[in-house]
Amino acid sequence: MNGLHTSIIGRAMEKGLLSIDATDIRDFAENKHNRVDDYPYGGGAGMVMQPGPVYRAFQAVTKDCEKKPRCIYLTPQGRVFDQRMAEEFAKEEELIFLCGHYEGIDERVLEMIVTDPVSIGDYVLTGGELPAMVMIDTISRLVPGVLNNEESAGQESHQGHLLEYPQYTRPDVFEGREVPAVLLSGHHKNIETWRRQQSLLRTRAMRPDMFEQVELTKADRKFLDSLTDEQGE
Ligand code: 6GU
């Protein structure tokens, strides 16, 4: 799980807020070359991971657990991961991430141990390790104490279905490009309004699917209507 030991997640592990362990399923093979794959019954391309090593690895990992933890299987056939799922998983004391390789894993062991088949999006990767790391990073930052500013994780979900507004820092002019004047005004109410409007515009342009879910205020509608009026639509 290299890559998770750095920065925010690494610090959280050092602080004892969470722990992440990797188990190599090949250590549970029962042959000289630690092979865990075989040809698919019925023929076809590629190899299939055998049920035995996966099952024994799961038993070993969960042997000291009071209750069987949820077992997330990373697969393009799963439900697509999103922030709401991350919030649900963050409530769990323990989680297992089962990463397949080759063409897949024997269906019988999946039926026995998997509680949550999850995909991270509509594209195909070579294995489940990167998706597992994406999920672990997303879930970890929701664990209390992991982020310095306790609010920064909470605020986004409370913002609800809106993309973040653009950010600026010094200098106030860069290569002739100015920071929006309202941000230099010190007028906090106007800044808040401007940021809300930027979030609305971004979400509508980039994520029309999310925008449909946004609860628009009277002021939001007035702002959006004022734009379409200007364009004579
Ligand atoms: Cl979870 N696994 C693989 N192999 N490909 C994916 C995926 C998972 N999610 C999106 N593509």
Side-chain angles (χ1 to χ4, degrees), residues 121-171:
D122 291 337
Y123 39 82
V124 181
L125 298 159
T126 54
E129 288 83 1
L130 283 171
M133 285 172 73
V134 166
M135 288 189 69
I136 291 166
D137 187 276
T138 308
I139 295 164
S140 297
R141 67 185 283 289
L142 299 174
V143 171
V146 170
L147 298 182
N148 313 329
N149 179 4
E150 275 263 26
E151 280 150 44
S152 46
Q155 216 170 25
E156 289 153 89
S157 54
H158 144 106
Q159 264 253 9
H161 305 298
L162 272 186
L163 300 181
E164 292 286 306
Y165 48 78
Q167 299 276 19
Y168 300 86
T169 187
R170 288 190 289 181

Side-chain angles (χ1 to χ4, degrees), residues 168-187:
Y168 300 86
T169 187
R170 288 190 289 181
D172 59 359
V173 182
F174 177 70
E175 300 280 313
R177 294 161 178 265
E178 292 175 12
V179 171
V182 64
L183 299 178
L184 308 176
S185 70
H187 193 306

Side-chain angles (χ1 to χ4, degrees), residues 32 50 53 93 134 142 146 182 186 220-222:
K32 269 206 304 276
Q50 296 173 289
E93 201 58 42
V134 166
L142 299 174
V146 170
V182 64
D220 291 340
R221 285 185 209 284
K222 200 169 159 197

Side-chain angles (χ1 to χ4, degrees), residues 66-111:
E66 281 183 29
K67 73 182 224 304
K68 281 279 167 260
R70 287 171 81 168
C71 177
I72 297 161
Y73 175 44
L74 288 311
T75 169
Q77 273 87 50
R79 258 179 68 201
V80 177
F81 187 51
D82 62 13
Q83 195 64 29
R84 193 176 315 163
M85 266 165 100
E87 284 162 16
E88 285 306 309
F89 288 131
K91 295 175 187 165
E92 300 288 331
E93 201 58 42
E94 288 166 315
L95 291 168
I96 310 284
F97 293 86
L98 173 59
C99 306
H101 246 254
Y102 316 105
E103 289 305 300
I105 300 180
D106 186 287
E107 190 68 18
R108 292 165 296 181
V109 72
L110 297 177
E111 290 168 1

